[in-house]
Amino acid sequence: MRRPPRIVSEAMQTASFSRRAWLLGAAQAGVGVMLAGRMAWLSIAENERYNLLAESNRVNATLIPPRRGWLIDRHGLPIANNRTDFRVDILPDRLRDDERVIALLAQILKLPPEEVARLRIDLERAPGFQPVQVAERLDWERFAAVSVRLPELPGVQPTRGFARHYPLGAAVAHLTGYVGAPTAEQFKETRNPLYVTPGFKLGKDGLEKMLEDRLRGQPGAKRVEVTARGKLVAELATRPDIPGRNARLTIDAGLQEYAARRLGTNSGSAVVLDCRTGEMLCMVSMPAYDPNSFSDGISHLEWSMLSENDHVPLMNKVTQGLYPPGSTVKPMNTLALMAAGVAPTERVFCSGAMRVGTGVFHCHKRGGHGPVDMKTAVAQSCDIYFFEMIRRLGYDKIAPVARELGLGRKFDLPFSTQRFGTVPDSAWKQRKYKDRWTIADGLNASIGQGYVLANPLQLAVMAARIASGRALQPSILADHVHHDAPALPFQSEQLQLVREAMWAVVNGGGTGVASRLQIPGMSIAAKTGTAQVRRITMAERRAGVLNNGQLPFKLRDHALFVCFAPYENPRYAAGIVLEHNGHTIRNLDTPLIGRDIMTYLLDRERALKSLAEVEPTWGGDIQTRMAAEAAAYRAEHAPAPAAAATKTDAVVPTDAPAVEAATDLANRTQETLATDGPSGETPAEQGTTENSQ
């Protein structure tokens, strides 16, 4: 059945059109509202974001590393300062077409082939966000040549800033430490954008590390307008950095350099204190590394050379080295004996040997000294006198006085590597070894051997406290000096007798005659010491004990020296330790080194003249010798190209495996010598090896 046709009226057409028009208009209005809302959102709510994005397209902003505060000496002379530096780095994550960029940089900067090889290796090993150094300390022409060709060098970052500089080089290495680029681990831990800014360096070791908060300033920001392709249009306003604060030290830079040079080819250390305040005037550990090299980025070859050196240049021997103090403790022993009631005039007959139980303990003078009193025992370094007195009283009467004079103490100093040694007694041995204290332990300790260990700083403190009669505390920061130290708990007459005995060591025919000052009207008071580092067996004694010159370096005795001057009015005190020196070369031995260091403080011209006469016989100054050693090492090992790559791991000198190995060896040696061995094999049974120097 067919439907009838639908008749559409004009009214119906009008209604249908109106409905469609309304729907279309509503849709259009909705779209308009959406567009207007989106435009409002972008122009108002997102305004700041897009302004920043637009600005970042137009303007490149980079952080400016802050200038570090200087380390200056007591007179205001720079020990660590900053100098203008033009450098070029590569940011690996922005690098494109590596080989083309490296080749172009090599051409512009005239890089030698070994530097190009080093750069390729460093780029392969570097994290993407860590800058890789291309060159530092560029002249203006080469720096400008890189800057104008930046559009051709994606990932290359030229920087004009300041580089850390250590004018005294290796002479201050273990004092200042050095600065270096942050490691990847340090960046991941802090996420501080400054840590990946080319040219930024932070303290890695020594005072640079411990004073980081004081020395580091606030970064600035550099803004430049560029095209879409990165071409420089104009430099915009730059926010300057805020430099770090300077740190004034108590160190005398001239003395620091002189002492480092005067130690010569020794493996050793020297500390000088002001007897009035305890201020450290020098703190030298040699040999050492050049902190300027470490700050620039040391190569694996250089690290290997330093690590394999048997003089352990990576170790700060002042704070990390522990040594048997040898006969340098004898002045301290006399003070303890008087405090325990022993009369200075009481005599002991020294025949050259003393039997205790089944053991025979010898004096360094095999024929004996005859009858000796307290003062003579110190001057002549008579072992038998101290053996007998400490056999009678026990070492428990000595140990408290040793601690009172600074042995076994850790001082309030900004060094993280301080090892404070051992002042043993019966309670200490019971705690550590679960064993009783023996007479042999006391006799060994009486001559500064056995379980007794001290660092060079403690020996200097001991000398300064004897000289001043006060419990001086060493300090190295000028704003942290410990003034008004209390008096020591000893009678002034007792302290004066100890000083007189030390004067006689040098000026009364004692064991340190070579250290006599050549300055009219002034004298030095001192005590020499020798510390054995090996057992001398009965078999060797029967065949003839080998002298130090016949022994390998590591088996030679340590040489030690403590002193103060002028004796007439004590102003300076020093502690000197020479590892395995063995008293083998006169002008490199402790008495002459101690004499010359004190002479520098009292008559600088005389001391410099003396040094100029002997330094050429050691192969020249520090820098000359280090350069010769590096050249010889390189020639001997013929290193592969990878050896020139920059060492980027977090290991610093004072934490180096070589330092740990040296410390472990010293600890094992001490343990071996301290424990009871076959008769005739302990240091006390052999006797010290003191000689008139």
Side-chain angles (χ1 to χ4, degrees):
M1 181 177 176
R2 297 180 62 186
R3 289 183 180 179
R6 186 179 179 187
I7 300 173
V8 179
S9 66
E10 185 178 349
M12 292 174 63
Q13 288 180 336
T14 301
S16 176
F17 177 79
S18 298
R19 187 167 52 251
R20 288 196 299 270
W22 183 86
L23 290 173
L24 182 60
Q28 289 176 335
V31 171
V33 169
M34 289 176 61
L35 289 174
R38 179 61 176 166
M39 290 175 65
W41 173 262
L42 293 176
S43 63
I44 299 173
E46 294 283 276
N47 179 274
E48 184 176 356
R49 177 190 170 203
Y50 284 100
N51 272 340
L52 290 174
L53 287 174
E55 184 74 0
S56 67
N57 285 333
R58 184 181 71 89
V59 176
N60 281 345
T62 56
L63 289 176
I64 299 174
R67 287 163 287 176
R68 290 180 73 81
W70 290 19
L71 294 173
I72 57 178
D73 85 337
R74 64 192 299 109
H75 306 299
L77 298 175
I79 293 176
N81 59 9
N82 306 312
R83 62 184 181 187
T84 304
D85 179 40
F86 297 108
R87 59 179 290 130
V88 173
D89 297 278
I90 289 178
L91 305 177
D93 56 356
R94 301 182 190 175
L95 185 61
R96 301 291 181 272
D97 196 356
D98 302 20
E99 288 303 318
R100 185 188 66 81
V101 170
I102 292 173
L104 187 53
L105 281 174
Q107 176 189 341
I108 297 171
L109 297 175
K110 299 179 175 59
L111 298 178
E114 57 270 21
E115 274 299 293
V116 175
R118 189 272 306 167
L119 178 57
R120 286 194 173 99
I121 296 170
D122 285 356
L123 283 171
E124 289 174 3
R125 297 177 177 177
F129 50 78
Q130 189 170 19
V132 171
Q133 176 185 306
V134 178
E136 274 193 317
R137 301 175 187 170
L138 295 171
D139 55 57
W140 169 250
E141 287 74 17
R142 288 190 293 167
F143 178 77
V146 172
S147 298
V148 299
R149 300 185 67 175
L150 278 182
E152 305 172 57
L153 299 167
V156 174
Q157 178 74 60
T159 307
R160 179 172 55 190
F162 295 88
R164 200 61 158 172
H165 178 59
Y166 304 92
L168 300 183
V172 297
H174 292 294
L175 169 67
T176 62
Y178 66 100
V179 297
T183 63
E185 291 72 21
Q186 287 173 317
F187 172 71
K188 290 174 182 176
E189 181 181 343
T190 64
R191 291 293 170 181
N192 186 340
L194 184 59
Y195 282 27
V196 291
T197 301
F200 173 71
K201 294 178 179 179
L202 48 74
K204 293 284 190 174
D205 209 357
L207 292 177
E208 291 278 27
K209 177 182 178 181
M210 300 305 293
L211 302 179
E212 176 68 21
D213 291 342
R214 179 190 297 201
L215 297 174
R216 186 199 300 184
Q218 298 295 320
K222 176 184 178 182
R223 300 169 67 245
V224 293
E225 185 176 359
V226 294
T227 65
R229 295 190 176 186
K231 186 176 180 180
L232 178 66
V233 175
E235 289 195 8
L236 305 178
T238 297
R239 187 185 74 213
D241 66 301
I242 301 175
R245 291 178 292 146
N246 293 348
R248 183 183 288 270
L249 308 182
T250 62
I251 296 294
D252 181 325
L255 176 64
Q256 180 82 12
E257 182 180 28
Y258 180 85
R261 292 172 61 189
R262 188 59 187 85
L263 287 176
T265 57
N266 279 298
S267 172
S269 52
V271 180
V272 178
L273 301 178
D274 188 317
C275 288
R276 302 170 305 174
T277 61
E279 293 170 276
M280 296 175 68
L281 303 180
C282 87
M283 191 198 89
V284 175
S285 174
M286 294 299 290
Y289 57 88
D290 185 350
N292 293 301
S293 295
F294 269 68
S295 294
D296 293 342
I298 191 172
S299 69
H300 288 275
L301 178 69
E302 292 172 283
W303 181 262
S304 297
M305 179 183 70
L306 293 168
S307 297
E308 295 170 16
N309 191 324
D310 62 1
H311 284 33
V312 201
L314 296 173
M315 175 186 278
N316 182 351
K317 298 175 179 68
V318 172
T319 59
Q320 291 182 289
L322 290 178
Y323 311 92
S327 294
T328 61
V329 299
K330 288 175 179 175
M332 178 272 295
N333 287 348
T334 64
L335 192 60
L337 292 175
M338 286 187 285
V342 176
T345 55
E346 185 174 348
R347 296 190 173 194
V348 169
F349 185 81
C350 172
S351 64
M354 182 179 81
R355 179 172 291 279
V356 177
T358 59
V360 178
F361 295 82
H362 293 83
C363 186
H364 72 87
K365 186 175 181 180
R366 288 299 186 256
H369 291 95
V372 292
D373 60 13
M374 190 176 285
K375 190 183 295 185
T376 304
V378 174
Q380 299 299 324
S381 203
C382 177
D383 298 325
I384 298 300
Y385 177 88
F386 293 100
F387 289 161
E388 174 59 22
M389 287 299 179
I390 289 171
R391 183 188 68 81
R392 296 179 192 176
L393 297 176
Y395 196 76
D396 282 2
K397 293 291 181 67
I398 308 297
V401 176
R403 298 187 188 104
E404 196 71 51
L405 292 184
L407 302 190
R409 298 295 189 190
K410 188 173 183 178
F411 302 111
D412 180 22
L413 293 169
F415 295 104
S416 60
T417 57
Q418 232 183 122
R419 300 176 66 219
F420 47 91
T422 305
V423 175
D425 55 21
S426 56
W428 172 87
K429 188 178 181 184
Q430 185 62 42
R431 286 194 308 271
K432 185 172 178 64
Y433 294 104
K434 303 296 186 286
D435 198 4
R436 65 181 183 82
W437 186 267
T438 66
I439 293 177
D441 291 334
L443 301 190
N444 276 296
S446 73
I447 57 170
Q449 294 267 186
Y451 296 112
V452 185
L453 289 173
N455 66 38
L457 173 59
Q458 292 168 342
L459 296 180
V461 170
M462 178 179 70
R465 290 186 177 184
I466 289 173
S468 66
R470 310 190 73 82
L472 297 172
Q473 294 292 326
S475 56
I476 200 165
L477 298 177
D479 58 2
H480 196 61
V481 176
H482 306 277
H483 294 286
D484 302 320
L488 292 170
F490 307 109
Q491 297 176 18
S492 58
E493 295 82 4
Q494 295 172 341
L495 287 164
Q496 183 56 29
L497 185 137
V498 175
R499 296 179 195 123
E500 291 172 2
M502 293 178 69
W503 180 89
V505 168
V506 179
N507 307 284
T511 58
V513 294
S515 59
R516 184 176 298 167
L517 289 180
Q518 305 300 309
I519 304 172
M522 292 187 183
S523 57
I524 185 175
K527 183 67 191 82
T528 56
T530 307
Q532 185 177 314
V533 297
R534 69 186 185 102
R535 285 191 183 277
I536 300 175
T537 65
M538 289 295 291
E540 182 180 340
R541 289 181 61 193
R542 286 192 295 269
V545 177
L546 297 174
N547 63 45
N548 281 286
Q550 299 171 290
L551 295 170
F553 173 72
K554 286 291 187 180
L555 296 182
R556 297 175 186 169
D557 297 337
H558 297 320
L560 306 98
F561 191 78
V562 295
C563 63
F564 62 86
Y567 166 77
E568 297 75 16
N569 182 23
R571 176 70 187 276
Y572 308 108
I576 300 167
V577 178
L578 305 180
E579 294 182 337
H580 310 294
N581 170 274
H583 307 297
T584 52
I585 301 175
R586 183 176 174 82
N587 67 19
L588 285 172
D589 203 358
T590 50
L592 287 179
I593 292 174
R595 179 202 70 183
D596 287 351
I597 287 176
M598 286 296 161
T599 299
Y600 178 90
L601 289 161
L602 302 169
D603 187 341
R604 183 172 303 187
E605 293 304 317
R606 184 188 296 269
L608 290 171
K609 181 180 178 181
S610 173
L611 178 61
E613 293 172 356
V614 295
E615 193 171 44
T617 67
W618 309 328
D621 61 18
I622 297 170
Q623 188 173 2
T624 301
R625 295 199 308 270
M626 289 177 67
E629 289 171 9
Y633 186 88
R634 187 181 298 273
E636 180 182 352
H637 291 79
T646 305
K647 180 181 175 295
T648 56
D649 59 58
V651 178
V652 298
T654 50
D655 296 329
V659 174
E660 293 298 322
T663 300
D664 290 343
L665 176 61
N667 289 341
R668 290 196 302 272
T669 299
Q670 183 269 338
E671 290 275 357
T672 300
L673 289 174
T675 53
D676 292 337
S679 179
E681 295 185 12
T682 67
E685 289 175 282
Q686 172 61 23
T688 63
T689 52
E690 293 294 304
N691 295 302
S692 293
Q693 297 294 324

